[in-house]
């Protein structure tokens, strides 16, 4: 007697997975708090790129007895391109059962979200390559050494770069992204203002506090590159970002009694205002935790050396 089974993947509802994962990807990623998404709607409507027009600067002159002269404005343009393509793919024994179990489904979505955020966060932090040269503290050949005694003065220099570039103004509070090692120094600095001590409500989501007027966020994706790493600071005007979860679908695995789930995530970013970014080149140090001081040992009774004669 043969038993007929329906393909569980035929019952797969991609809209459910897509909507939930999309909503989960709209928050929590560190660098998403530090970018703008001004052109995301145009990307989704027009395709995989959009042209961004930057207005030209307007000069001001003193009125005199001569004729007024008119400067010719030449706006510049750049393209925001969705050129980052990531996918996830995994097997499920029974996708219909998983869909009916909210906890399991949420767990799969959470793991997919974390994997996407890891690569997305690292990609956005790599925009340090486009920082205006005047806004760099330290250098590749002479990176800054940070510890709890020097951290505040170095972060003041970083904030000063943004102020001198006119990137900071009312309503444009700067941010800085650090890694857990720098966080450990910052927590020992008397100048650091923890989130619980911030008097107003202007801290962005996920910030642990404020230093030198900048909201502080922590990312594990500021990793060592040839003995140094880059701390990135700026305002949300600097980087524009767009993304879309292009597709989630299910297939039947021809080699097992399983269903295959795969998804395609597309995103891209552009540094449109390099002067609204600043970076610090920091020398990597050992992240070994300090050892506890050893307890003093009791003095031992002196022994009389034995005669060699």
């Amino acid at each position: 007697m043969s038993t007929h089974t329906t393909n569980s993947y035929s019952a797969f509802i991609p809209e459910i997975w897509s909507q939930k994962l999309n909503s989960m990807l709209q928050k929590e990623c560190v660098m998403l708090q530090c970018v703008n998404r001004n052109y995301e709607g145009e990307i989704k409507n027009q395709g995989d790129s959009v042209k961004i027009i930057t207005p030209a600067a307007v000069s001001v002159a003193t009125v005199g007895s001569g004729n007024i002269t008119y400067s010719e404005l030449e706006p510049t343009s750049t393209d925001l391109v969705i050129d980052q393509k990531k996918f996830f793919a995994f097997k499920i024994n029974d996708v219909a059962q998983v869909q009916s179990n909210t906890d399991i489904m949420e767990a799969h979505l959470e793991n997919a979200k974390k994997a996407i955020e890891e690569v997305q966060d690292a990609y956005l932090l790599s925009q340090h390559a486009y920082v205006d040269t005047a806004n760099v503290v330290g250098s590749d050949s002479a990176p800054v050494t940070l510890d709890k005694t020097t951290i505040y003065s170095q972060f003041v220099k970083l904030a000063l770069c943004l102020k001198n570039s006119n990137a900071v103004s009312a309503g444009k509070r700067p941010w800085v992204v650090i890694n857990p090692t720098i966080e450990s120094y910052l927590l020992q600095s008397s100048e650091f203002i923890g989130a619980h001590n911030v008097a107003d409500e202007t801290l962005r989501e996920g910030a642990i506090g404020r230093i030198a007027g900048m909201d502080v966020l922590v990312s594990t994706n500021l990793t060592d590159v040839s003995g140094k790493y880059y701390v990135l600071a700026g305002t949300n005007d600097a980087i524009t970002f767009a993304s879309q979860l292009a597709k989630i679908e299910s297939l039947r695995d021809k080699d097992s009694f399983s269903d295959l789930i795969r998804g395609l995530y597309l995103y891209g970013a552009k540094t449109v205002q390099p002067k609204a970014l600043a970076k610090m080149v920091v020398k990597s140090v050992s992240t070994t935790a300090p050892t506890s001081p050893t307890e003093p040992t009791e003095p031992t009774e002196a022994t009389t050396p034995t005669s060699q004669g």
Side-chain angles (χ1 to χ4, degrees), residues 32-206:
L32 284 188
Q33 309 301 320
C34 306
V35 299
N36 70 74
R37 307 178 83 163
N38 297 340
Y39 303 95
E40 192 164 61
E42 294 181 48
I43 285 284
K44 291 180 177 178
N45 291 332
Q46 296 180 14
D48 60 358
S49 68
V50 63
K51 192 171 292 295
I52 301 171
I53 306 298
T54 303
V58 176
S59 59
V60 177
T62 302
V63 175
S65 57
N67 295 328
I68 295 176
T69 57
Y70 295 84
S71 56
E72 197 169 316
L73 299 183
E74 296 182 0
T76 58
S77 66
T78 186
D79 291 325
L80 169 59
V81 182
I82 301 295
D83 56 358
Q84 302 297 306
K85 302 178 181 180
K86 305 296 180 183
F87 75 90
F88 56 86
F90 51 86
K91 291 183 181 182
I92 294 180
N93 287 334
D94 186 348
V95 72
Q97 182 180 352
V98 168
Q99 284 192 144
S100 65
N101 189 321
T102 305
D103 290 340
I104 295 177
M105 181 179 174
E106 292 287 345
H108 286 316
L109 291 177
E110 181 66 27
N111 287 340
K113 177 186 83 79
K114 288 178 180 177
I116 289 171
E117 286 181 344
E118 283 293 311
V119 294
Q120 181 175 275
D121 214 36
Y123 168 71
L124 287 172
L125 285 167
S126 72
Q127 296 294 307
H128 74 79
Y130 305 105
V131 172
D132 189 84
T133 54
N135 288 5
V136 181
V137 177
S139 66
D140 287 344
S141 59
V144 171
T145 300
L146 290 181
D147 58 39
K148 64 181 181 180
T149 62
T150 63
I151 191 166
Y152 181 66
S153 62
Q154 296 296 347
F155 274 72
V156 167
K157 293 178 185 177
L158 196 63
L160 184 60
C161 289
L162 294 172
K163 292 176 182 177
N164 286 339
S165 295
N166 295 316
V168 181
S169 60
K172 296 181 180 179
R173 186 180 298 279
W175 46 263
V176 61
V177 180
I178 63 175
N179 64 17
T181 300
I182 299 178
E183 180 187 16
S184 69
Y185 301 145
L186 206 57
L187 294 175
Q188 299 176 70
S189 170
S190 59
E191 291 86 359
F192 174 65
I193 305 172
H196 60 286
N197 288 324
V198 175
D200 54 40
E201 300 297 327
T202 58
L203 273 180
R204 69 194 67 234
E205 186 177 349

Side-chain angles (χ1 to χ4, degrees), residues 202-276:
T202 58
L203 273 180
R204 69 194 67 234
E205 186 177 349
I208 65 167
R210 189 171 293 153
I211 188 74
M214 301 179 290
D215 292 352
V216 181
L217 298 102
V218 182
S219 172
T220 56
N221 289 306
L222 281 171
T223 53
D224 183 289
V225 180
S226 302
K228 59 183 176 297
Y229 50 87
Y230 302 95
V231 171
L232 190 62
T235 69
N236 286 52
D237 289 339
I239 303 170
T240 191
F241 175 78
S243 68
Q244 55 182 313
L245 188 61
K247 187 178 295 185
I248 292 183
E249 60 188 17
S250 176
L251 305 167
R252 189 65 177 172
D253 184 11
K254 64 182 180 63
D255 297 321
S256 70
F257 298 102
S258 302
D259 300 316
L260 307 177
I261 305 297
R262 63 188 186 187
L264 178 64
Y265 184 67
L266 310 176
Y267 60 95
K270 189 76 175 182
T271 298
V272 292
Q273 293 189 29
K275 290 186 176 182

